[in-house]
Amino acid sequence: MTRMSPDARRQTIVEAAQAVARRKGLSATTVRDVAEEMGTSSGLIHHYFASMDQLLAEVFSQVAEADLSATRERMDGATSETGRLAAYFDAWADPDNDDIFQFWLDAWSEASRNEAVQERSRALNIEWQGLLSEVIETGIASGEFNQVDAEAVSWTALSLLDGMSLQVVAHPTVIERGKAAQWAANSTERDLGLPLGTLRAASVIA
Amino acid sequence: MTRMSPDARRQTIVEAAQAVARRKGLSATTVRDVAEEMGTSSGLIHHYFASMDQLLAEVFSQVAEADLSATRERMDGATSETGRLAAYFDAWADPDNDDIFQFWLDAWSEASRNEAVQERSRALNIEWQGLLSEVIETGIASGEFNQVDAEAVSWTALSLLDGMSLQVVAHPTVIERGKAAQWAANSTERDLGLPLGTLRAASVIA
DNA sequence: AACTCTATTGCGCGTGCGTCCAATAGCGAA
DNA sequence: TTCGCTATTGGACGCACGCGCAATAGAGTT
C-alpha cells in the first residue's frame, strides 16, 4: 500500500471499517475484514488502533457525529422553534438515515459488552436530547410552546422517535413509515400543548 | 449425567442456555458455556440442536414468550382497563426485566441480518402491541378512555416504552428509571385523554 | 548516492469457537 | 440375565479471531 501520513491513514482505516460495518454490522466486523477492504495487512490496523473495540467505537462515533451535524444544519434553515422541531422530526423520518439507525441498534446492543462504545453512545444520545431540549426551552421562552418540563418532553420525544425507528428499521413493513412519523409528531404535539398538525405544517413550509 | 427423555433433555438445555445468556448476553453464549452450566458434555447439546443459532433462537423465543405471559398475568389481576394498562407499564419498568430487555436489543440489532430472528422478533412485538391495543379498545368501549385511534396510541406507547427502556438499560445512569416510567406514563395519559397521574394511582391500588 | 526514519508487511502465537464422531453407559424389553 | 437401543461422553478437527513482532520498503534528507 502506498505510504501515507498517520492522520490520513487513520482516517482511511476508519472509512474502510465503516464500509464493512455497513455491510456486516458493527460487532461482526473483524480486523481482517477491514484490512482486506482497503487492500492492506492486518498489522497496519493494529499499528493505528490499540484494540479492535476502539476502532469500532471510533467508527460508530464518526457516523453518529456526521448525522448529528447534518441534522443541526437542517434545523438551522428554519426560522421558528416550531420549524426547527419539525426539521428534527423530518431528519429522523428520512429513509436515507436507515443505515445510520442500524449503527445505533448495533451500538445499543454492543454497549453492555464494549465500554468504549457505551461511553460514545451515551454521550451522543445526550447530545441529541440536548438539541431537542434547547429547542423546547427557546420555544417556551419565545411563547411558541406551553410551559412544559423541557427535560421530560425532550427525553420522551427522543425515546419515542428511537422506538418508532426501531420498528421501521428492524421490522420493515410492520408499521408504515409515514404513519410512524405522524404518530410520533402528534404525540409530541400533545406533550407540548400544540395543536395537532402543527409540525407537519411547519415541515412543509421549511 | 443421568439419562433423560428427549423432550425433557431439550428443555433442560434451553433453560441452561437461558441462564448463561442472562449473564453473558445472547451472542456471547457458547456451546461449552451451556454444557458446563448443566454439568454435561458439549456433544450432548449438538445431539439435540442442529446448530448453536437454533438453540439461541429458541432461548430468545422462550424468554420473550414467558415475559409476555407473565405480563398478561399481572394484567389479569386488575379490575379496570386503566388498572390493566397500569400493570402493563409496571411490568415494563420492573428492573428484573432488564436482562430480558438486553435480549431485545440483541434481537433488534440482529434482525436485519438474520431472517429467523427478524421473524420471531416481529411477531412478538406485534403481540405486545396487540395486547396494548386490546386494552385501549376495551377501555374506549367501556368509556374509561377517550375515543382515540387505538392502533396509533398502542404503537406510540410501545415505542415510547421501548425507547425509554433502551436508555435505562444501554446507558445506565443517563436517566433515572423512576423518571422514565413517570414520563412515559404521562405522555400516554395525554394520548388517551386521561388526567395526569391516573396510571400511577391505578398501579398503587393494583 | 547513501542513509535514516517510519509506514507497512506478513506471518505466527494463543485462544476459543462450532462441529463431528467413535466409544461408552445405562435403561427397558425379551 | 441378556441384549439392543439410544442417551451421553469427551476429545479431535478445522477455522477464525485479536494481537504482536521482526523484517521490509520507500520517501525525504544530506
Side-chain angles (χ1 to χ4, degrees):
Chain A
M1 205 65 205
T2 65
R3 210 181 163 89
M4 262 182 148
S5 85
D7 282 357
R9 177 57 75 203
R10 248 187 97 90
Q11 193 52 33
T12 306
I13 292 172
V14 173
E15 276 158 21
Q18 184 175 319
V20 175
R22 273 179 202 268
R23 257 182 279 124
K24 303 186 51 177
L26 208 57
S27 64
T29 300
T30 73
V31 175
R32 285 166 176 82
D33 285 336
V34 178
E36 191 177 349
E37 173 78 17
M38 54 191 288
T40 69
S41 64
S42 73
L44 189 62
I45 277 82
H46 283 101
H47 190 257
Y48 288 94
F49 292 89
S51 78
M52 190 57 187
D53 277 359
Q54 284 185 33
L55 172 54
L56 293 180
E58 182 65 28
V59 167
F60 167 67
S61 213
Q62 288 201 13
V63 170
E65 265 161 23
D67 189 31
L68 187 60
S69 309
T71 301
R72 283 206 167 100
E73 268 180 42
R74 271 174 113 133
M75 292 170 70
D76 281 348
T79 52
S80 63
E81 297 311 310
T82 308
R84 297 186 69 206
L85 190 60
Y88 189 102
F89 273 69
D90 280 352
W92 218 278
D94 192 334
D96 289 350
N97 285 340
D98 281 8
D99 314 0
I100 295 174
F101 195 80
Q102 181 66 49
F103 275 98
W104 279 101
L105 289 178
D106 293 347
W108 291 326
S109 160
E110 191 75 1
S112 64
R113 290 174 284 272
N114 181 335
E115 190 125 358
V117 167
Q118 176 175 143
E119 206 31 67
R120 295 306 301 149
S121 166
R122 171 194 282 116
L124 282 157
N125 253 303
I126 291 176
E127 283 205 65
W128 280 95
Q129 177 265 337
L131 188 53
L132 213 35
S133 186
E134 267 176 44
V135 172
I136 292 169
E137 276 167 8
T138 314
I140 292 171
S142 77
E144 277 181 68
F145 306 146
N146 270 11
Q147 202 113 16
V148 298
D149 178 345
E151 194 197 0
V153 175
S154 58
W155 275 117
T156 301
L158 180 66
S159 297
L160 180 54
L161 288 169
D162 282 339
M164 286 281 183
S165 301
L166 188 163
Q167 295 296 340
V168 170
V169 172
H171 309 135
T173 77
V174 81
I175 319 184
E176 202 235 319
R177 162 176 260 115
K179 280 191 181 176
Q182 175 92 41
W183 295 338
N186 284 348
S187 182
T188 303
E189 284 159 354
R190 274 188 282 268
D191 285 341
L192 284 170
L194 296 174
L196 295 191
T198 305
L199 289 173
R200 168 172 282 250
S203 95
V204 171
I205 293 166
Chain B
M1 204 67 204
T2 65
R3 212 180 162 91
M4 262 181 147
S5 85
D7 281 358
R9 175 59 74 204
R10 249 188 96 91
Q11 193 53 31
T12 305
I13 293 172
V14 173
E15 277 159 20
Q18 184 177 318
V20 176
R22 274 177 200 267
R23 258 182 277 124
K24 305 188 49 176
L26 210 54
S27 62
T29 300
T30 73
V31 176
R32 285 167 176 81
D33 286 337
V34 178
E36 191 177 350
E37 174 77 17
M38 55 190 288
T40 173
S41 66
S42 74
L44 188 62
I45 277 83
H46 283 97
H47 190 256
Y48 288 94
F49 291 88
S51 79
M52 191 59 187
D53 275 359
Q54 284 184 33
L55 171 55
L56 293 180
E58 183 66 28
V59 167
F60 169 65
S61 225
Q62 288 201 14
V63 169
E65 267 160 23
D67 190 29
L68 189 59
S69 310
T71 302
R72 284 205 167 100
E73 269 180 43
R74 271 174 112 131
M75 293 171 70
D76 281 347
T79 51
S80 63
E81 297 310 310
T82 309
R84 297 186 70 207
L85 190 59
Y88 189 102
F89 273 68
D90 280 352
W92 217 277
D94 192 334
D96 290 349
N97 285 340
D98 281 7
D99 38 5
I100 296 176
F101 196 81
Q102 180 66 49
F103 285 177
W104 279 102
L105 290 178
D106 293 345
W108 291 324
S109 161
E110 192 72 4
S112 67
R113 290 175 286 263
N114 180 335
E115 191 123 359
V117 168
Q118 177 175 142
E119 207 33 66
R120 292 303 301 149
S121 166
R122 171 194 281 116
L124 282 159
N125 255 300
I126 291 177
E127 283 204 65
W128 279 96
Q129 177 264 338
L131 188 54
L132 214 35
S133 186
E134 267 176 43
V135 171
I136 293 170
E137 277 167 8
T138 313
I140 292 171
S142 76
E144 278 181 68
F145 305 147
N146 270 12
Q147 203 113 14
V148 297
D149 177 344
E151 194 197 1
V153 176
S154 57
W155 276 118
T156 300
L158 180 66
S159 297
L160 180 54
L161 287 170
D162 282 340
M164 286 280 184
S165 301
L166 189 163
Q167 296 295 340
V168 171
V169 172
H171 309 136
T173 77
V174 81
I175 319 184
E176 202 235 318
R177 162 176 259 117
K179 281 192 181 176
Q182 175 91 38
W183 295 339
N186 285 347
S187 182
T188 304
E189 284 159 355
R190 274 189 282 268
D191 285 342
L192 284 170
L194 296 175
L196 295 192
T198 306
L199 288 173
R200 169 171 280 250
S203 94
V204 172
I205 291 165

